[in-house]
Every structure is written in structure tokens, then in C-alpha cells.
Amino acid sequence: MLHVENLRKSFGPVRALDGISFSVGKGEIVGFLGPNGAGKTTAMRIIAGFLSAGEGRVTLDGVDVADDPVAVKAKVGYLPEQPPLYPELRVREYLTFVAGLKGVPKKEVTDSVDEAMQSVKISDRADQIIRSLSKGYKQRVGLAGALVHRPPILILDEPTVGLDPNQIVEIRHLISDLKAADRTLIISTHILAEVEQTCERVIIINKGKIAAIDTKANLLAGAGDKAEITVEVAREGERAGGLLEGMGAAILGRDGNRLTVSAQPGQREEMAKRIIESGCGLVALETRRVALEDIFIKLTADASAGVN
Amino acid sequence: MHAMSAIYRREMRSYFVSPVAYIVLTVFFILSGFFFTQIVKYTGQANLGGLFGNLAIVLLFTIPFITMRLVAEEKRSGTIELLLTSPVKPFEIIMAKFLAAWSLIGLAIAGTLIYTLLLLLHSPMETGPLLMGYLGIILLSGALAALGVLASSLAESQIAAGIIGFGISFILMLLNWVGQSGQDAIHYVLREVSVIHHYGDFLEGIFDAKHLVFFLFWGVLCLSFAVKSLESRLLK
């Protein structure tokens, strides 16, 4: 459905995107993850047709955004980081305006607006002036604007930035509801939890380059050959440490009888058996779950300043 | 067309939900009423030529105020991202905004029909010069509105857009004054590039196609540059 090939973009001497390529299929939910300044917004803006690519191309259903921007834009729903709202308008007026702008046929405007308001649960605020809405509701109005022309692909750039924890949860629920609608979704974010909870595939971008691109499950599995295991014994912590080292585990730290080691998760049963047999007294054995966060930190560890 | 009409309607609504339209219309009606009574009182003639001459100066001050927000505010608030990621061509965005500004000015000019009606009720009037006067002021306001839209698309803030729009309009008026002070080639060129100079014949009730062509050329030139300026944002 969407193909991005060797995208490059510079702003003066700063290279924001340095040859990124990826594809997104119909109905997929992809997380575009990267630290601030990695080039996420630049990539989103090029896909949405707001910026031109310096090099490379973006095609949607075979149509190049540079050749026919109007046709591509008609198929894309884009919510920028700051929702583009006219504060003096009422919610319904704004969405009617956006529907007209996006080319929704006149006869269908009322239905499209009602449907968009329902899908982000703002029907009760239809007649409220946008200026008077809370930040969370403004974000919903922006989301409704991106949905009003029923686009097959939806691009959300940092959809929860600046919201309070309750509003974040609400927006994530709304995004989860959008999943069911068989729509391709690209969510750009620097918040890992967002990707962990809503996306199937992850593109990790750092300094304008793709650092990793895989399904969430594969990324987690790939990083899982060594896990951080905490072993607590009743006595003789030092001797227990020696035993674990003898099995090939690396001691990461020791606090009295509490040891943190790096080892393969498959060794845990053997570790427990040897400690019990040694008489040191196994009190606890915990494996810290390898999260996407670890992979993200590992891949973007040396992230420094860039262009957002 | 559908998108253009959506942008046009939103612009008109924005004028009337903010104080802009009310301030502009009030100032325009007060000043045009003042000029009308003074001219009729002192000349004793049923001729609106003098009124249209003075209204040109009023337009010079009010049009930048009407147009300054049009594109600059979209850039400041970020709504330009909505417009430029919609299936709309930059040409349609600029045209819709220009037509909205021109309509508001047209509404103000339409208010002067009351004076025409008052004069017609009390004395006979030549319709030719009257129609030329209206045609001239509509063309002049269109040219100044196009200039204002260009200023707004070049500037990053509406204040800067207002200053640029007013500054260029004022310079164009000065060029006419300077141009009238001599008869050599330089003075001729200065007169010819000034929009005010081309407005003069309309006030005399004279129709000359070259003035019409000038206003059309001026409008197309300003709006084309405004479209280019918007397109260049996409290429940044």
C-alpha cells in the first residue's frame, strides 16, 4: 500500500533523513519510534505531502506523491503534532469545513461529520466552540478531522504529546478502536508504551536512519538471548555468585545475598537446582522482562541532537 | 471548487466572528459618510467622483488590515499544515482567500449605494460616470487585496504582513504623486506602475481598456507570486 524508498531530506547543513526505506501493507498498524530529533516528523510530513523529499520517493497504491499530490492527499488522513484547529469555530463547523477541504461530496458531509464525531466520542461537544475545549478534546477534534474523509491510511504524529495521563489513556483507547476499522495506521511517537500497546510492527529511527524494522514480537525475541536475572539466597551470597559464574553467567552486581546476573533465560532451572543443592538457600529468582525499551535504548543509545 | 468554496466560507465566517469585519465596515461607512456630506455640501453637485477619489485613500489603509491575517495566521497557528496536506492546490487556497477579502471590501463599497440612491432621489445623475466610478473602485480594491494576499503569504506574522501590504500600497501612491511632477520618461514610468494613476480615469468617467488590463495584470501577478510562495513551503 505505502512504499517509502530511500528518502533523504536536509535542512541546510543538517541531514534530517538519510535514506530511509520501508513499506506498510493494508490494515497494518505501524509504530514509528525514535528519540526526539530522529527525523520522525520530517518523514511523516513528506508522506503526508506537506514537505517534498530531497531524494527518494513515496508511493501510495502505486501513485507517487510527487507526481500526483492531490490524489495521494485525498487518501491520507494526517494529524500533525499540534492539531490544526481554528479556535473560533464550533466543532461541527470545523469538521464540515475539513470535510469540504478533503473533497467529501456535499451530500455525504453531514454523515461523514457525524461518523467522525462518533468515532472519537465528541458528538456531545458538536456545538461547542473549539477554543473552550480541553487539550484532550482538542486532540480528539484534530483526530476527527483526520478521519472525516474516511481515508484508507491514517498518520498520527505524536498523538498523545502534551496530554495528561487520563487524556493519554483516552486517546490510546480511541486509537485502539480505530484498529478495528481495517485502516492502515502509522503512529509516530517517542513514547514506548504507545507502540507497545497499539502497534504490531515497529520502525525504529535514529539520526535520520532506520535502526530496526520488525514486528514487535521479533524485536523482543531477538533481544532475549540474554536476560537480567536476580537471584536472592538465604546465606553465603559470595559462594552462590561463584556457582553462577561457574555456569557461565556474568555477575552484574551483588548486594549482600542478592545477586544480579546476566544469563540465558533457559539456564534458570539449572541455576535454581544448583543453588538449592549447594545449601545456600534459594529465596527468590526473578527475570526482568526484556521490554521494547531495552531495544530502543540499545539501538538509539548514542542519540544526540538532530532535526525533528 | 468544493474545497475552494469551503475555504472561502470559512474565511468569511472568520471575518464576522472576529471584530475585523465590523471594524472595517464601521470605519468605512463613517469615513465615506463624512466625505459624501462634505463633498455634496461644498460642491453642490450630484457627482460621486470626489467621494470615490477619497475612498481610494481609505482602501489603502483598510485593505492591508483585512488581508494581513489570511495566510500569515495559518502559518503561525499551524493550520497551514491542514490546508497543504488536503487535496487542494495552492492556487485554490490563494484564490479562495483573495475572493473572501475582495467580497468583504465589496460589501463595504456596496454600502455607498445608499449615497447614490439619496442623490438620485434629489437630482438627476449621469449613470456613465457613476458606473465607471464603481468599476474603478472595485478594480482598485481587487488590486490592493491581491497585493495584501501576497504580503500575507510572504510574511510570517500578520503584523509584518500588514506593514508590508500597507508600505507597498503607500509607495505606489507616492509613485503617482512623483510621476505627476514631471513629463519625462522616468516620470511617465513612475505614473504607469502606480495603481492609483490607473484609477484616475475611472473617476473622470472615462473607460480605457489599458487600465482594465493593468489591474488584471497586477492582480494576476500578485496572486501568482502568492501561489509560488505557498508552493515553496512544500519544497522547503
mmCIF file of all heavy atoms in Angstrom, chain B residues 133-168:
data_model
loop_
_atom_site.group_PDB
_atom_site.id
_atom_site.type_symbol
_atom_site.label_atom_id
_atom_site.label_comp_id
_atom_site.label_asym_id
_atom_site.label_seq_id
_atom_site.Cartn_x
_atom_site.Cartn_y
_atom_site.Cartn_z
ATOM 1 N N GLY B 133 -17.093 54.902 -11.993
ATOM 2 C CA GLY B 133 -16.569 55.103 -10.635
ATOM 3 C C GLY B 133 -16.601 53.804 -9.840
ATOM 4 O O GLY B 133 -15.622 53.405 -9.200
ATOM 5 N N TYR B 134 -17.748 53.107 -9.931
ATOM 6 C CA TYR B 134 -17.873 51.841 -9.199
ATOM 7 C C TYR B 134 -16.928 50.779 -9.764
ATOM 8 O O TYR B 134 -16.274 50.055 -9.017
ATOM 9 C CB TYR B 134 -19.326 51.332 -9.226
ATOM 10 C CG TYR B 134 -20.134 51.903 -8.075
ATOM 11 C CD1 TYR B 134 -21.128 52.847 -8.286
ATOM 12 C CD2 TYR B 134 -19.866 51.511 -6.768
ATOM 13 C CE1 TYR B 134 -21.843 53.387 -7.223
ATOM 14 C CE2 TYR B 134 -20.575 52.048 -5.700
ATOM 15 C CZ TYR B 134 -21.562 52.993 -5.935
ATOM 16 O OH TYR B 134 -22.249 53.513 -4.877
ATOM 17 N N LEU B 135 -16.833 50.730 -11.113
ATOM 18 C CA LEU B 135 -15.934 49.749 -11.734
ATOM 19 C C LEU B 135 -14.496 50.016 -11.285
ATOM 20 O O LEU B 135 -13.759 49.091 -10.898
ATOM 21 C CB LEU B 135 -16.042 49.816 -13.266
ATOM 22 C CG LEU B 135 -15.116 48.878 -14.040
ATOM 23 C CD1 LEU B 135 -15.450 47.425 -13.752
ATOM 24 C CD2 LEU B 135 -15.214 49.132 -15.561
ATOM 25 N N GLY B 136 -14.130 51.301 -11.291
ATOM 26 C CA GLY B 136 -12.761 51.682 -10.900
ATOM 27 C C GLY B 136 -12.453 51.284 -9.470
ATOM 28 O O GLY B 136 -11.407 50.683 -9.186
ATOM 29 N N ILE B 137 -13.367 51.568 -8.561
ATOM 30 C CA ILE B 137 -13.075 51.301 -7.145
ATOM 31 C C ILE B 137 -13.069 49.787 -6.870
ATOM 32 O O ILE B 137 -12.292 49.301 -6.028
ATOM 33 C CB ILE B 137 -14.042 52.065 -6.207
ATOM 34 C CG1 ILE B 137 -13.393 52.187 -4.825
ATOM 35 C CG2 ILE B 137 -15.412 51.440 -6.119
ATOM 36 C CD1 ILE B 137 -13.999 53.227 -3.955
ATOM 37 N N ILE B 138 -13.878 49.056 -7.622
ATOM 38 C CA ILE B 138 -13.878 47.592 -7.448
ATOM 39 C C ILE B 138 -12.559 47.010 -7.961
ATOM 40 O O ILE B 138 -11.938 46.155 -7.305
ATOM 41 C CB ILE B 138 -15.105 46.955 -8.147
ATOM 42 C CG1 ILE B 138 -16.356 47.280 -7.331
ATOM 43 C CG2 ILE B 138 -14.952 45.444 -8.291
ATOM 44 C CD1 ILE B 138 -17.663 46.977 -8.032
ATOM 45 N N LEU B 139 -12.084 47.541 -9.104
ATOM 46 C CA LEU B 139 -10.810 47.050 -9.654
ATOM 47 C C LEU B 139 -9.646 47.432 -8.738
ATOM 48 O O LEU B 139 -8.751 46.624 -8.470
ATOM 49 C CB LEU B 139 -10.589 47.624 -11.058
ATOM 50 C CG LEU B 139 -11.464 47.052 -12.168
ATOM 51 C CD1 LEU B 139 -11.268 47.831 -13.459
ATOM 52 C CD2 LEU B 139 -11.157 45.578 -12.404
ATOM 53 N N LEU B 140 -9.674 48.666 -8.247
ATOM 54 C CA LEU B 140 -8.590 49.122 -7.354
ATOM 55 C C LEU B 140 -8.566 48.264 -6.088
ATOM 56 O O LEU B 140 -7.492 47.823 -5.638
ATOM 57 C CB LEU B 140 -8.803 50.594 -6.990
ATOM 58 C CG LEU B 140 -7.805 51.150 -5.968
ATOM 59 C CD1 LEU B 140 -6.424 51.328 -6.609
ATOM 60 C CD2 LEU B 140 -8.283 52.483 -5.391
ATOM 61 N N SER B 141 -9.743 47.999 -5.524
ATOM 62 C CA SER B 141 -9.774 47.205 -4.288
ATOM 63 C C SER B 141 -9.286 45.776 -4.563
ATOM 64 O O SER B 141 -8.617 45.174 -3.722
ATOM 65 C CB SER B 141 -11.161 47.214 -3.663
ATOM 66 O OG SER B 141 -12.086 46.642 -4.555
ATOM 67 N N GLY B 142 -9.588 45.263 -5.749
ATOM 68 C CA GLY B 142 -9.107 43.924 -6.119
ATOM 69 C C GLY B 142 -7.592 43.895 -6.201
ATOM 70 O O GLY B 142 -6.938 42.973 -5.694
ATOM 71 N N ALA B 143 -7.018 44.947 -6.832
ATOM 72 C CA ALA B 143 -5.556 45.009 -6.972
ATOM 73 C C ALA B 143 -4.890 45.116 -5.600
ATOM 74 O O ALA B 143 -3.889 44.437 -5.327
ATOM 75 C CB ALA B 143 -5.172 46.201 -7.833
ATOM 76 N N LEU B 144 -5.476 45.946 -4.713
ATOM 77 C CA LEU B 144 -4.879 46.105 -3.379
ATOM 78 C C LEU B 144 -5.069 44.834 -2.536
ATOM 79 O O LEU B 144 -4.190 44.468 -1.743
ATOM 80 C CB LEU B 144 -5.488 47.319 -2.664
ATOM 81 C CG LEU B 144 -5.160 48.694 -3.285
ATOM 82 C CD1 LEU B 144 -5.900 49.798 -2.549
ATOM 83 C CD2 LEU B 144 -3.656 48.980 -3.265
ATOM 84 N N ALA B 145 -6.202 44.149 -2.730
ATOM 85 C CA ALA B 145 -6.433 42.895 -1.995
ATOM 86 C C ALA B 145 -5.439 41.832 -2.446
ATOM 87 O O ALA B 145 -4.901 41.075 -1.628
ATOM 88 C CB ALA B 145 -7.864 42.415 -2.194
ATOM 89 N N ALA B 146 -5.169 41.777 -3.762
ATOM 90 C CA ALA B 146 -4.198 40.798 -4.286
ATOM 91 C C ALA B 146 -2.812 41.085 -3.704
ATOM 92 O O ALA B 146 -2.090 40.164 -3.305
ATOM 93 C CB ALA B 146 -4.160 40.860 -5.805
ATOM 94 N N LEU B 147 -2.478 42.378 -3.618
ATOM 95 C CA LEU B 147 -1.194 42.766 -3.022
ATOM 96 C C LEU B 147 -1.147 42.343 -1.547
ATOM 97 O O LEU B 147 -0.135 41.832 -1.059
ATOM 98 C CB LEU B 147 -1.005 44.287 -3.155
ATOM 99 C CG LEU B 147 0.238 44.870 -2.500
ATOM 100 C CD1 LEU B 147 1.502 44.369 -3.199
ATOM 101 C CD2 LEU B 147 0.202 46.393 -2.537
ATOM 102 N N GLY B 148 -2.267 42.534 -0.844
ATOM 103 C CA GLY B 148 -2.348 42.162 0.570
ATOM 104 C C GLY B 148 -2.183 40.663 0.769
ATOM 105 O O GLY B 148 -1.515 40.215 1.707
ATOM 106 N N VAL B 149 -2.793 39.883 -0.117
ATOM 107 C CA VAL B 149 -2.671 38.414 -0.024
ATOM 108 C C VAL B 149 -1.216 38.008 -0.239
ATOM 109 O O VAL B 149 -0.676 37.148 0.477
ATOM 110 C CB VAL B 149 -3.603 37.710 -1.051
ATOM 111 C CG1 VAL B 149 -3.326 36.220 -1.108
ATOM 112 C CG2 VAL B 149 -5.061 37.959 -0.709
ATOM 113 N N LEU B 150 -0.560 38.680 -1.199
ATOM 114 C CA LEU B 150 0.857 38.385 -1.448
ATOM 115 C C LEU B 150 1.694 38.708 -0.203
ATOM 116 O O LEU B 150 2.505 37.882 0.233
ATOM 117 C CB LEU B 150 1.368 39.190 -2.653
ATOM 118 C CG LEU B 150 2.873 39.128 -2.921
ATOM 119 C CD1 LEU B 150 3.334 37.701 -3.201
ATOM 120 C CD2 LEU B 150 3.266 40.039 -4.087
ATOM 121 N N ALA B 151 1.435 39.882 0.392
ATOM 122 C CA ALA B 151 2.189 40.280 1.593
ATOM 123 C C ALA B 151 1.980 39.260 2.708
ATOM 124 O O ALA B 151 2.920 38.874 3.405
ATOM 125 C CB ALA B 151 1.742 41.666 2.042
ATOM 126 N N SER B 152 0.726 38.788 2.854
ATOM 127 C CA SER B 152 0.412 37.832 3.919
ATOM 128 C C SER B 152 1.076 36.477 3.673
ATOM 129 O O SER B 152 1.456 35.781 4.626
ATOM 130 C CB SER B 152 -1.102 37.672 4.016
ATOM 131 O OG SER B 152 -1.449 36.880 5.110
ATOM 132 N N SER B 153 1.232 36.119 2.392
ATOM 133 C CA SER B 153 1.863 34.820 2.113
ATOM 134 C C SER B 153 3.382 34.889 2.245
ATOM 135 O O SER B 153 4.031 33.873 2.457
ATOM 136 C CB SER B 153 1.461 34.306 0.739
ATOM 137 O OG SER B 153 1.933 35.175 -0.247
ATOM 138 N N LEU B 154 3.928 36.105 2.157
ATOM 139 C CA LEU B 154 5.383 36.239 2.308
ATOM 140 C C LEU B 154 5.792 36.364 3.772
ATOM 141 O O LEU B 154 6.850 35.903 4.170
ATOM 142 C CB LEU B 154 5.888 37.483 1.550
ATOM 143 C CG LEU B 154 5.796 37.439 0.023
ATOM 144 C CD1 LEU B 154 6.173 38.786 -0.565
ATOM 145 C CD2 LEU B 154 6.689 36.348 -0.549
ATOM 146 N N ALA B 155 4.919 37.007 4.580
ATOM 147 C CA ALA B 155 5.283 37.297 5.970
ATOM 148 C C ALA B 155 4.983 36.119 6.897
ATOM 149 O O ALA B 155 4.121 35.301 6.603
ATOM 150 C CB ALA B 155 4.525 38.524 6.436
ATOM 151 N N GLU B 156 5.703 36.071 8.005
ATOM 152 C CA GLU B 156 5.479 35.003 8.987
ATOM 153 C C GLU B 156 4.494 35.430 10.068
ATOM 154 O O GLU B 156 3.990 34.606 10.805
ATOM 155 C CB GLU B 156 6.799 34.573 9.632
ATOM 156 C CG GLU B 156 7.714 33.797 8.696
ATOM 157 C CD GLU B 156 7.154 32.463 8.199
ATOM 158 O OE1 GLU B 156 6.527 31.749 8.989
ATOM 159 O OE2 GLU B 156 7.323 32.155 6.996
ATOM 160 N N SER B 157 4.251 36.753 10.182
ATOM 161 C CA SER B 157 3.266 37.206 11.174
ATOM 162 C C SER B 157 2.314 38.175 10.507
ATOM 163 O O SER B 157 2.676 38.822 9.516
ATOM 164 C CB SER B 157 3.953 37.890 12.352
ATOM 165 O OG SER B 157 4.303 39.211 12.004
ATOM 166 N N GLN B 158 1.098 38.276 11.065
ATOM 167 C CA GLN B 158 0.128 39.149 10.410
ATOM 168 C C GLN B 158 0.508 40.614 10.526
ATOM 169 O O GLN B 158 0.204 41.402 9.627
ATOM 170 C CB GLN B 158 -1.295 38.913 10.879
ATOM 171 C CG GLN B 158 -1.540 38.475 12.268
ATOM 172 C CD GLN B 158 -3.047 38.407 12.502
ATOM 173 O OE1 GLN B 158 -3.810 39.164 11.950
ATOM 174 N NE2 GLN B 158 -3.479 37.503 13.343
ATOM 175 N N ILE B 159 1.187 40.978 11.600
ATOM 176 C CA ILE B 159 1.610 42.381 11.748
ATOM 177 C C ILE B 159 2.583 42.726 10.615
ATOM 178 O O ILE B 159 2.449 43.760 9.948
ATOM 179 C CB ILE B 159 2.278 42.622 13.127
ATOM 180 C CG1 ILE B 159 1.304 42.279 14.265
ATOM 181 C CG2 ILE B 159 2.795 44.039 13.259
ATOM 182 C CD1 ILE B 159 0.081 43.166 14.374
ATOM 183 N N ALA B 160 3.556 41.838 10.399
ATOM 184 C CA ALA B 160 4.527 42.066 9.314
ATOM 185 C C ALA B 160 3.799 42.130 7.976
ATOM 186 O O ALA B 160 4.107 42.987 7.132
ATOM 187 C CB ALA B 160 5.562 40.953 9.305
ATOM 188 N N ALA B 161 2.788 41.260 7.794
ATOM 189 C CA ALA B 161 2.030 41.247 6.537
ATOM 190 C C ALA B 161 1.308 42.580 6.344
ATOM 191 O O ALA B 161 1.296 43.132 5.240
ATOM 192 C CB ALA B 161 1.030 40.098 6.546
ATOM 193 N N GLY B 162 0.722 43.088 7.431
ATOM 194 C CA GLY B 162 0.005 44.367 7.363
ATOM 195 C C GLY B 162 0.957 45.498 7.003
ATOM 196 O O GLY B 162 0.657 46.340 6.150
ATOM 197 N N ILE B 163 2.132 45.503 7.627
ATOM 198 C CA ILE B 163 3.110 46.577 7.373
ATOM 199 C C ILE B 163 3.607 46.506 5.917
ATOM 200 O O ILE B 163 3.668 47.520 5.229
ATOM 201 C CB ILE B 163 4.285 46.490 8.382
ATOM 202 C CG1 ILE B 163 3.760 46.840 9.791
ATOM 203 C CG2 ILE B 163 5.424 47.437 7.984
ATOM 204 C CD1 ILE B 163 4.731 46.553 10.916
ATOM 205 N N ILE B 164 3.917 45.282 5.461
ATOM 206 C CA ILE B 164 4.395 45.125 4.073
ATOM 207 C C ILE B 164 3.307 45.578 3.090
ATOM 208 O O ILE B 164 3.558 46.361 2.171
ATOM 209 C CB ILE B 164 4.796 43.646 3.778
ATOM 210 C CG1 ILE B 164 6.002 43.235 4.618
ATOM 211 C CG2 ILE B 164 5.114 43.458 2.289
ATOM 212 C CD1 ILE B 164 6.320 41.741 4.555
ATOM 213 N N GLY B 165 2.081 45.117 3.315
ATOM 214 C CA GLY B 165 0.968 45.441 2.412
ATOM 215 C C GLY B 165 0.726 46.942 2.352
ATOM 216 O O GLY B 165 0.630 47.530 1.271
ATOM 217 N N PHE B 166 0.661 47.541 3.546
ATOM 218 C CA PHE B 166 0.409 48.976 3.595
ATOM 219 C C PHE B 166 1.592 49.744 2.996
ATOM 220 O O PHE B 166 1.408 50.693 2.226
ATOM 221 C CB PHE B 166 0.153 49.434 5.036
ATOM 222 C CG PHE B 166 0.037 50.923 5.159
ATOM 223 C CD1 PHE B 166 -1.082 51.583 4.660
ATOM 224 C CD2 PHE B 166 1.056 51.665 5.720
ATOM 225 C CE1 PHE B 166 -1.182 52.964 4.740
ATOM 226 C CE2 PHE B 166 0.965 53.046 5.805
ATOM 227 C CZ PHE B 166 -0.150 53.703 5.318
ATOM 228 N N GLY B 167 2.799 49.326 3.346
ATOM 229 C CA GLY B 167 4.012 50.008 2.866
ATOM 230 C C GLY B 167 4.064 50.039 1.339
ATOM 231 O O GLY B 167 4.274 51.103 0.740
ATOM 232 N N ILE B 168 3.817 48.885 0.711
ATOM 233 C CA ILE B 168 3.887 48.841 -0.769
ATOM 234 C C ILE B 168 2.755 49.674 -1.382
ATOM 235 O O ILE B 168 2.971 50.436 -2.330
ATOM 236 C CB ILE B 168 3.855 47.378 -1.284
ATOM 237 C CG1 ILE B 168 5.088 46.617 -0.764
ATOM 238 C CG2 ILE B 168 3.830 47.337 -2.813
ATOM 239 C CD1 ILE B 168 5.118 45.144 -1.110
#
